[in-house]
Amino acid sequence: MNPKLMISSAEKIGNNQDLLAQILLRLPAKSLIQFKCVSKQWLSLISNPHFCLSHTRHQGHEGFLHPTALLLKVQSVLSPDFDVVPLKHFSQVPFFHYISTSYLNILQSCNGLFVCAEFYVSLAFDPLQSPHYKIIVVREVLENSYIFQLDIYASESESWKVATIIFETNEGDCIAFEDSVFCNGKLHWNSYGNQSLYLDVEKECLQMMPMPTKLTGNRLEIYRYFDESGGRLYLAATYFAYIDLDLYIHQMASDYSHWFLKHCLNMGDAMEVYPELNLGCHPFSSGFSGVSFVGSERKGEVKVVIWADGKIICYDFNDGAWKMIHDPGPGLKIGTPIEHFNHLHEQRYGSDEACLIDLDIMQRYRKVILLETIY
C-alpha cells in the first residue's frame, strides 16, 4: 500500500472527532490512559466526562458492570500490600503506589472507586449513570446518644453539605454503618437487628427497611455478609450448630417489603470437594473471611464467591457445584498471616476488605478519596 495513502487515511480518522471516539470506545481503559500522551486532542477527548461515561456503558452487560477481580487485604496488618485475584482475566494494577502512608484502611469499594477514612464513610458511584460520585459520612452527634447526622460530599460541585439529615436509631437496631452497599441509586446499611436504613442518594431522604429474621433453636448466627449483584441486594448469614455450618442466602424483594430465603448452602459439601479447607470447625469462626456475589450465566441467578483459607472458591447455582476460582498452590496462602495467631481460622481477613472491583474502572480513575484531605 502507498505510504502516502496510509498517512492520508490516518489523518482523516484523526481529524474526524466522532469516528475517533467510536474507535477509542472499544479499547480497554489501560490503553486509553496510554493514548492520552498521543496529542492534546486525544487527551481532551479521553478525559472528557461524557466520553468516560460512554466508555463505561460500552463495557457494561445488560445494564450492569460485572467485577473482574477481588482486591484482598489482610485485616489489622500495617501493610500497603494487596492481593488481586482475577475473576475473568489477569491484569496488573499498581494499587495505591502513590500513597506515602504505610497503612491504608479501605472502608468500601464502589464500582472501581475506593474510600479510606476513620469515620462511618460510604461511596455512592454508578459509572453507568455519571462519572461523578458522592461520599456519605455518618457521624454520631453525641457519644452513645444514638443520634446521628449525615454529611454528603458531591464530586460534581466539589462541595460538602453538612448535617443534611439528623436522625435517631434504637439501641436494639444494631445498624452497622461501617458496612454499606450502594445499589440502584440507594445506599443500604447492614444491621444485626430486625430493621435498618437506606438512603435515596439523589433525593437525600432516609427510609426504613426490614432485615431477615434470625433462625430460632440451637443455631448460632456468626456473621452477616452484605452485598449486591445485578441490581439486587443479597445478605448471607452463617449459622453454626454443633459441627454443622450453613450459609443462608437471602434476597431483598424489589419493593423492599421483605427478604426471602433464596438458597441454603451446607459448608460441609464444600469440604467434601476441597478437603484441605477446614470450614466451621470452631463455633465462633466460620473458617472463611469474605463472601461476595457475582453475576451468573443464567439471568436472575448469582454465584457465591468465598475467600476461605487463602483460596477463592465459589458455588455456581447453575450446575449446583463448588468450583475453585484461585488456588495459589500447596502450602501457599493469599495475604500475610497474623503471626501471633497459630490457628488457621484466626489468620482471618476482614470481609469488608474483600472488595469486588472492576479493573477497567480502576485503571481509568486510579485515585483514592482521602477524607483527611477533603473533609
Side-chain angles (χ1 to χ4, degrees):
M1 181 178 290
N2 191 328
K4 292 184 178 180
L5 183 60
M6 293 177 62
I7 295 174
S8 177
S9 300
E11 288 179 347
K12 288 181 179 179
I13 295 175
N15 294 328
N16 189 323
Q17 192 86 345
D18 293 335
L19 180 58
L20 178 60
Q22 289 300 315
I23 294 174
L24 295 178
L25 280 176
R26 288 156 174 78
L27 298 179
K30 187 174 182 178
S31 299
L32 292 180
I33 292 173
Q34 296 172 336
F35 289 159
K36 284 184 176 182
C37 301
V38 171
S39 66
K40 291 183 178 179
Q41 177 198 8
W42 284 39
L43 173 62
S44 176
L45 173 60
I46 296 171
S47 302
N48 186 287
H50 296 292
F51 175 83
C52 292
L53 180 59
S54 299
H55 184 269
T56 301
R57 288 174 173 171
H58 190 79
Q59 309 301 315
H61 178 66
E62 295 183 351
F64 296 99
L65 290 174
H66 295 286
T68 54
L70 283 168
L71 176 62
L72 311 176
K73 185 179 187 296
V74 182
Q75 187 180 34
S76 303
V77 173
L78 300 180
S79 169
D81 297 330
F82 296 83
D83 290 295
V84 180
V85 178
L87 295 178
K88 293 184 179 180
H89 55 79
F90 180 76
S91 179
Q92 288 184 326
V93 180
F95 288 107
F96 313 133
H97 62 290
Y98 45 85
I99 300 297
S100 58
T101 179
S102 61
Y103 177 62
L104 187 64
N105 183 24
I106 293 182
L107 295 182
Q108 182 198 358
S109 72
C110 184
N111 292 315
L113 286 186
F114 295 82
V115 64
C116 312
E118 297 177 355
F119 333 100
Y120 296 138
V121 185
S122 301
L123 270 172
F125 175 57
D126 187 349
L128 293 174
Q129 300 298 324
S130 170
H132 302 291
Y133 58 87
K134 290 187 177 181
I135 299 174
I136 293 87
V137 178
V138 180
R139 295 192 297 166
E140 197 168 15
V141 176
L142 295 174
E143 188 176 359
N144 299 322
S145 67
Y146 299 101
I147 300 176
F148 299 88
Q149 74 176 44
L150 284 181
D151 304 333
I152 300 177
Y153 173 83
S155 66
E156 185 173 12
S157 62
E158 297 185 345
S159 62
W160 283 93
K161 294 174 67 176
V162 179
T164 305
I165 300 174
I166 298 178
F167 62 97
E168 185 175 2
T169 65
N170 298 318
E171 183 177 359
D173 289 342
C174 300
I175 299 176
F177 288 113
E178 73 279 5
D179 187 4
S180 61
V181 170
F182 181 66
C183 179
N184 296 327
K186 301 177 181 66
L187 185 68
H188 311 78
W189 286 282
N190 192 6
S191 171
Y192 286 80
N194 295 323
Q195 61 184 9
S196 190
L197 295 168
Y198 69 90
L199 173 72
D200 188 313
V201 176
E202 192 65 31
K203 297 179 180 178
E204 296 183 354
C205 64
L206 278 175
Q207 299 288 337
M208 301 294 299
M209 71 175 186
M211 295 302 291
T213 304
K214 293 184 179 181
L215 297 181
T216 58
N218 60 352
R219 290 186 173 272
L220 172 67
E221 182 179 304
I222 307 175
Y223 295 105
R224 288 188 174 188
Y225 302 92
F226 198 32
D227 203 0
E228 68 85 28
S229 179
R232 300 178 180 88
L233 282 177
Y234 294 94
L235 188 142
T238 53
Y239 284 90
F240 180 87
Y242 302 112
I243 59 172
D244 187 30
L245 181 71
D246 294 323
L247 186 66
Y248 284 75
I249 300 169
H250 305 267
Q251 181 180 323
M252 173 65 89
S254 58
D255 62 357
Y256 284 67
S257 61
H258 65 282
W259 294 81
F260 59 89
L261 182 62
K262 191 172 180 66
H263 299 289
C264 179
L265 297 177
N266 185 283
M267 303 310 297
D269 296 337
M271 292 177 60
E272 289 184 4
V273 181
Y274 304 107
E276 69 273 18
L277 302 180
N278 297 314
L279 305 178
C281 69
H282 191 280
F284 300 105
S285 178
S286 57
F288 52 85
S289 301
V291 175
S292 299
F293 298 89
V294 299
S296 179
E297 288 74 14
R298 189 169 65 189
K299 191 174 182 179
E301 196 55 271
V302 292
K303 295 178 183 178
V304 181
V305 180
I306 296 176
W307 185 4
D309 289 346
K311 301 177 182 3
I312 309 297
I313 62 174
C314 81
Y315 187 83
D316 191 340
F317 290 104
N318 284 327
D319 49 20
W322 287 97
K323 300 177 181 179
M324 182 70 70
I325 293 181
H326 182 78
D327 184 354
L332 298 177
K333 292 172 67 67
I334 299 173
T336 305
I338 303 174
E339 294 180 356
H340 60 274
F341 290 131
N342 55 18
H343 189 277
L344 181 64
H345 295 154
E346 295 300 337
Q347 297 176 0
R348 294 187 55 77
Y349 301 80
S351 60
D352 56 339
E353 296 182 6
C355 304
L356 284 167
I357 60 173
D358 188 302
L359 289 178
D360 284 339
I361 300 295
M362 184 64 185
Q363 287 278 11
R364 183 181 302 116
Y365 287 88
R366 196 177 290 183
K367 61 183 177 181
V368 178
I369 311 304
L370 293 175
L371 270 294
E372 290 84 355
T373 63
I374 65 176
Y375 189 59

